Amino acid sequence: MIDPYSEEVLWIVIIGFIMAFVLAFGLGANDVANSFGTSVGSKVLTVKQACCLATVCEIAGSILLGYKVSDTMRKGILQVNVYDDAEYELLLGMFAALIGSSVMLLGATFLKLPVSATHSIVGATIGFSLVCRGDKGINWKVLGMIVGSWFVSPLLSGVISVSLYLVIRRLILNASDPIARGLLSLPIFYGITIFINVFTIVHEGSSLLYFNRIPLWGVLVLSFGIGALTMVAVWFFLVPFMRKKIEEVGSTPKVTSGVKTDMVRTDTYKQTLPWTNGNSDVTVLASEIVLTPPNTSEEPAPPGHESSLGKDNPAYCLSIQDKTEEPSLEEKKDSQEKNQVEEDQAKILKLFSFLQTLTATFASFVHGGNDVSNAIGPVIAIWMIYTEGSVHQKSETPLYILLYGGVGISVGLWIWGKRVMKTIGEDLTTITSSTGFTIELGAAFTVLLASKIGLPVSTTHCLVGSVVFVGWANSTKKGVDWKLFRNIVAAWLVTVPISGLLSAAAVAILKETAL
């Protein structure tokens, strides 16, 4: 038994907050990459832009949604009543959980492996509890639900993403005028996304923000109203802006190495040829110019091709092709059709780049709501036991600790997040803005649902599941790097036992030295 605000345990609180920041740092470096990795991989956002958006979204999600999952993490997995009159021991256990999961996450990030932060903290919690109280200290029913969600969430996320992709491919990408159809659907996507976010935040929301006082009809009116206003704003402001941007894609000449490639056959170039001794210029079509290395054989060069620049000069000789015929009408038609297809594809990618930015911020927001609890769940328990002097932790999760976790996540992303972004966004499969949009939206819906229920699902599982499902549907099974996917799954499987062992070792040492 300890007294509230006991100086005896103050050292655990101070170092616990430091370790929680380290854990949040590792989580941000590893897990936030899941939210923006596809956007960076498809070149819609730069790493800097992704970090700026993620900073705002992660902190907002932490404050507005993080309270429910944090309750599960700090007192749902454990049977806290078995620690009655042993508050000091539970404090040491939560401290050990922070140590074990921090070491695991930072090590995985160093190796560029997108492991699950949820696995890490759950494994660490199980590890110290088995040392302190054996199997009696674990709430096996809640743990079973959490573990079950780890298998269901990637499948659900993948099914939602691939279904959405197939619908978009049928109704927009394969339409006779995909740009017009896409612009028409833009307000719908934005409106539905905002409606779901508002409803999830407000319905039975945080009591500290007084959201729990709003009745269901008020929640519905508020959600529909904000969603409708978003649709109107997008239609009158964003759609015209996007239409202008998309039209610019077709009007901009293609440039390669400073030469307009769509004018190569009509441009002429004047070049003083080496065999004219610099006395005259010869004008030839660019398509008829051939560069050949200087003749270094023992046989004399063909008549008219001798270079006057000297045999030691490495300059290349310039000759003219005999073939000067114009392309046939059929070839011109094929070339025009090919150029039109490429232009249409570029416009579609431009259209979906705006949508993917929306879904990336959505995914980051719900990630902050779910995974911030993985970083600060143990430190919230430490703080509650310290302030209340009881293991039952009856107070609400303080918003300032949620904010603290969100800041730690953002710092980790800025400093080290690029490493895992490349694995998720580029190495696993090829991602475009249209596939990235469906990947992020499907995963975000899955994580949002889990956050509302209070289940700490793995956002890594959801994102990787969506990437694999859509990557396969968009091409073939060869479109996914299955060797890399196997390594990622292997990292998932070893996360729980490694984190558990690290935490168990830490608490065993702490009990011997601190108790």
Side-chain angles (χ1 to χ4, degrees):
M1 184 71 179
I2 63 171
D3 295 326
Y5 299 100
S6 171
E7 293 185 2
E8 182 185 1
V9 298
L10 183 58
W11 71 273
I12 299 178
V13 177
I14 295 172
I15 302 178
F17 268 88
I18 295 173
M19 290 303 302
F21 193 87
V22 173
L23 179 56
F25 177 95
L27 191 149
N30 196 289
D31 263 26
V32 179
N34 299 334
S35 302
F36 281 94
T38 51
S39 298
V40 174
S42 61
K43 312 303 180 188
V44 170
L45 295 174
T46 65
V47 173
K48 185 176 181 180
Q49 291 170 334
C51 290
C52 289
L53 286 172
T55 299
V56 176
C57 296
E58 292 286 330
I59 293 176
S62 301
I63 295 173
L64 295 173
L65 288 176
Y67 63 98
K68 276 206 169 183
V69 181
S70 66
D71 289 344
T72 302
M73 293 303 300
R74 63 188 174 98
K75 57 182 181 180
I77 298 176
L78 299 177
Q79 297 281 12
V80 294
N81 59 310
V82 301
Y83 291 93
D84 282 333
D85 299 324
E87 288 81 5
Y88 192 45
E89 188 176 7
L90 183 57
L91 283 172
L92 291 177
M94 289 295 183
F95 183 52
L98 288 171
I99 296 173
S101 53
S102 297
V103 173
M104 179 65 207
L105 262 186
L106 292 175
T109 305
F110 178 77
L111 296 174
K112 300 183 182 180
L113 289 175
V115 298
S116 170
T118 308
H119 285 198
S120 179
I121 194 64
V122 170
T125 303
I126 294 172
F128 91 76
S129 187
L130 289 175
V131 171
C132 293
R133 291 293 185 274
D135 59 355
K136 295 180 180 179
I138 299 173
N139 190 334
W140 293 104
K141 182 179 179 180
V142 173
L143 181 62
M145 291 177 60
I146 293 172
V147 173
S149 71
W150 294 346
F151 293 93
V152 173
S153 59
L155 293 175
L156 179 61
S157 179
V159 168
I160 293 175
S161 293
V162 79
S163 300
L164 183 61
Y165 174 72
L166 293 176
V167 169
I168 288 175
R169 187 168 67 178
R170 179 177 178 83
L171 298 181
I172 298 177
L173 299 179
N174 292 340
S176 57
D177 191 349
I179 304 302
R181 189 73 65 85
L183 290 173
L184 184 63
S185 65
L186 198 66
I188 299 174
F189 284 125
Y190 272 80
I192 292 176
T193 301
I194 297 300
F195 166 79
I196 292 174
N197 270 285
V198 174
F199 183 86
T200 306
I201 293 169
V202 178
H203 181 242
E204 297 180 354
S206 172
S207 61
L208 295 177
L209 297 173
Y210 303 105
F211 288 155
N212 61 326
R213 299 184 181 182
I214 302 176
L216 179 59
W217 66 267
V219 174
L220 291 172
V221 169
L222 186 65
S223 303
F224 274 116
I226 296 178
L229 287 175
T230 301
M231 293 177 68
V232 172
V234 169
W235 179 254
F236 283 103
F237 296 102
L238 185 58
V239 168
F241 173 77
M242 288 183 58
R243 185 179 286 113
K244 181 180 178 181
K245 288 293 183 181
I246 291 171
E247 288 172 355
E248 290 176 357
V249 173
S251 61
T252 304
K254 299 176 183 179
V255 178
T256 304
S257 301
V259 179
K260 295 181 178 180
T261 57
D262 56 350
M263 299 178 63
V264 166
R265 295 196 62 84
T266 59
D267 275 0
T268 59
Y269 293 80
K270 287 190 176 183
Q271 171 69 40
T272 300
L273 301 181
W275 58 84
T276 63
N277 295 320
N279 295 324
S280 63
D281 290 339
V282 178
T283 300
V284 295
L285 284 175
S287 59
E288 296 171 0
I289 295 176
V290 176
L291 290 173
T292 58
N295 195 304
T296 58
S297 62
E298 295 182 359
E299 298 181 2
H305 286 68
E306 294 85 7
S307 174
S308 63
L309 300 179
K311 63 180 180 180
D312 295 328
N313 194 303
Y316 277 49
C317 297
L318 196 61
S319 62
I320 303 177
Q321 291 180 346
D322 293 334
K323 183 179 179 180
T324 59
E325 66 268 14
E326 290 291 322
S328 65
L329 291 176
E330 185 176 351
E331 289 175 336
K332 287 183 177 181
K333 183 178 179 181
D334 291 342
S335 177
Q336 290 174 351
E337 290 178 352
K338 182 180 179 181
N339 291 337
Q340 185 62 46
V341 169
E342 292 177 352
E343 183 179 311
D344 290 343
Q345 290 176 344
K347 290 181 177 180
I348 292 171
L349 292 177
K350 189 72 173 178
L351 169 66
F352 276 96
S353 68
F354 286 84
L355 285 169
Q356 194 177 10
T357 302
L358 167 72
T359 53
T361 54
F362 179 29
S364 180
F365 174 78
V366 298
H367 174 271
N370 194 283
D371 275 33
V372 69
S373 305
N374 298 326
I376 62 171
V379 82
I380 292 174
I382 290 173
W383 178 252
M384 291 298 183
I385 296 171
Y386 171 68
T387 57
E388 297 178 7
S390 171
V391 297
H392 296 284
Q393 312 162 48
K394 295 180 180 179
S395 301
E396 287 279 343
T397 298
L399 294 181
Y400 52 84
I401 301 184
L402 292 172
L403 174 62
Y404 177 76
V407 171
I409 288 173
S410 300
V411 172
L413 172 66
W414 275 96
I415 294 178
W416 226 6
K418 186 177 180 180
R419 300 178 68 86
V420 179
M421 273 189 189
K422 186 176 184 297
T423 300
I424 289 287
E426 299 178 25
D427 297 344
L428 191 57
T429 190
T430 301
I431 295 176
T432 64
S433 57
S434 57
T435 57
F437 162 69
T438 57
I439 287 168
E440 289 166 354
L441 194 58
F445 279 141
T446 305
V447 177
L448 186 64
L449 176 63
S451 298
K452 193 62 181 176
I453 296 172
L455 281 177
V457 297
S458 169
T459 52
T460 308
H461 282 198
C462 294
L463 257 296
V464 172
S466 291
V467 167
V468 171
F469 270 67
V470 175
W472 196 350
N474 190 40
S475 54
T476 63
K477 65 180 182 180
K478 294 182 179 179
V480 178
D481 187 339
W482 294 105
K483 183 178 179 180
L484 176 60
F485 177 66
R486 181 194 64 197
N487 293 340
I488 293 174
V489 172
W492 290 349
L493 295 176
V494 301
T495 300
V496 172
I498 291 178
S499 298
L501 289 172
L502 290 171
S503 176
V507 77
I509 295 172
L510 288 170
K511 286 180 67 175
E512 289 293 325
T513 57
L515 279 179

